[in-house]
Amino acid sequence: DGGITQSPKYLFRKEGQNVTLSCEQNLNHDAMYWYRQDPGQGLRLIYYSQIVNDFQKGDIAEGYSVSREKKESFPLTVTSAQKNPTAFYLCASRDPGTGGIGELFFGEGSRLTVL
Amino acid sequence: DAKTTQPNSMESNEEEPVHLPCNHSTISGTDYIHWYRQLPSQGPEYVIHGLTSNVNNRMASLAIAEDRKSSTLILHRATLRDAAVYYCILRSTGGYQKVTFGIGTKLQVIP
């Protein structure tokens, strides 16, 4: 089945450790996105990528890094510089659609808890 | 970026219609109105989108005001499965599409 696969679903880490969250898609979409969601809050954009080897900072990029070496993959690293990393992380890809206004497809999310 | 404003929460009785409002007074002529919904502990899913005309699909209807400064997502008959957070967002055409979401409206469906 086509879709977005995020792993791991749950992750526990000690403070000060870097963590990498995986996001893989087999939808052949060029654009991909990473969002962070805190309890009772909306989605905040961390990074987005329109094409391989290119990505842009979103609204809360500090303390995070990404890479886009393959079309299918857009991993997110939560670095030790991120002051409050405990959150629910969502990855999405965008269907180009008509005129570039296609829908976003989301993964099931990764819940990171820093102890 | 043009912003949207939605009520934080709404309630509806099961099997009754639900009208979820969204204000977007600074919408530009090329902005599309998109709606997504997020069930608990899941990623959001697409519901519907439109530009100027009202739109219908199997999930919902979208009514867009004539001046496009507001829109309403209509669920014709709410079920318990429709309890979710509903996001109204604006999307513009073009290359670098920075897609952002607000807090959305949390819909509670009462049996």
Side-chain angles (χ1 to χ4, degrees):
Chain A
D1 284 357
I4 311 283
T5 301
Q6 290 188 241
S7 63
K9 194 167 184 178
Y10 297 96
L11 185 60
F12 296 88
R13 278 295 181 267
K14 291 183 180 178
E15 202 171 325
Q17 288 183 330
N18 289 358
V19 168
T20 297
L21 307 179
S22 169
C23 178
E24 303 280 329
Q25 55 106 352
N26 60 3
L27 299 168
N28 200 33
H29 292 164
D30 285 317
M32 297 185 74
Y33 299 79
W34 272 106
Y35 295 90
R36 168 182 173 140
Q37 187 171 38
D38 293 285
Q41 301 297 311
L43 281 68
R44 291 187 289 167
L45 182 63
I46 306 173
Y47 269 98
Y48 60 111
S49 168
Q50 303 295 329
I51 201 167
V52 173
N53 293 323
D54 182 70
F55 48 82
Q56 306 293 319
K57 291 182 179 180
D59 297 323
I60 57 163
E62 185 175 350
Y64 299 97
S65 67
V66 293
S67 63
R68 188 82 189 279
E69 297 175 1
K70 298 187 300 180
K71 189 175 189 177
E72 306 79 25
S73 179
F74 190 38
L76 173 74
T77 297
V78 185
T79 76
S80 56
Q82 168 48 235
K83 294 178 182 175
N84 186 16
T86 295
F88 188 48
Y89 291 88
L90 286 158
C91 177
S93 70
R94 175 168 59 82
D95 187 307
T98 302
I101 301 293
E103 64 189 89
L104 269 65
F105 291 81
F106 283 83
E108 293 190 347
S110 291
R111 194 170 296 279
L112 172 63
T113 302
V114 174
L115 305 171
Chain B
D1 295 337
K3 300 296 182 188
T4 62
T5 304
Q6 300 176 254
N8 287 339
S9 63
M10 290 185 64
E11 280 185 2
S12 174
N13 293 320
E14 195 177 9
E15 300 188 3
E16 289 187 357
V18 183
H19 291 235
L20 297 163
C22 182
N23 287 320
H24 27 80
S25 58
T26 60
I27 190 170
S28 74
T30 56
D31 284 338
Y32 285 74
I33 303 155
H34 280 235
W35 284 81
Y36 286 77
R37 73 177 187 181
Q38 184 178 23
L39 300 172
S41 298
Q42 294 187 24
E45 62 174 345
Y46 167 82
V47 177
I48 200 167
H49 78 276
L51 181 62
T52 56
S53 304
N54 294 344
V55 185
N56 300 297
N57 66 20
R58 62 175 180 81
M59 290 181 73
S61 295
L62 176 60
I64 301 172
E66 198 169 333
D67 64 4
R68 300 210 325 127
K69 293 186 176 182
S70 66
S71 60
T72 302
L73 180 71
I74 302 166
L75 307 178
H76 295 286
R77 203 161 157 265
T79 70
L80 296 179
R81 288 191 69 250
D82 291 322
V85 177
Y86 288 79
Y87 299 97
C88 166
I89 65 172
L90 301 180
R91 296 273 310 279
S92 57
T93 58
Y96 282 93
Q97 290 196 24
K98 181 184 176 184
V99 183
T100 57
F101 291 74
I103 296 175
T105 297
K106 185 173 184 178
L107 175 66
Q108 182 179 359
V109 179
I110 302 167

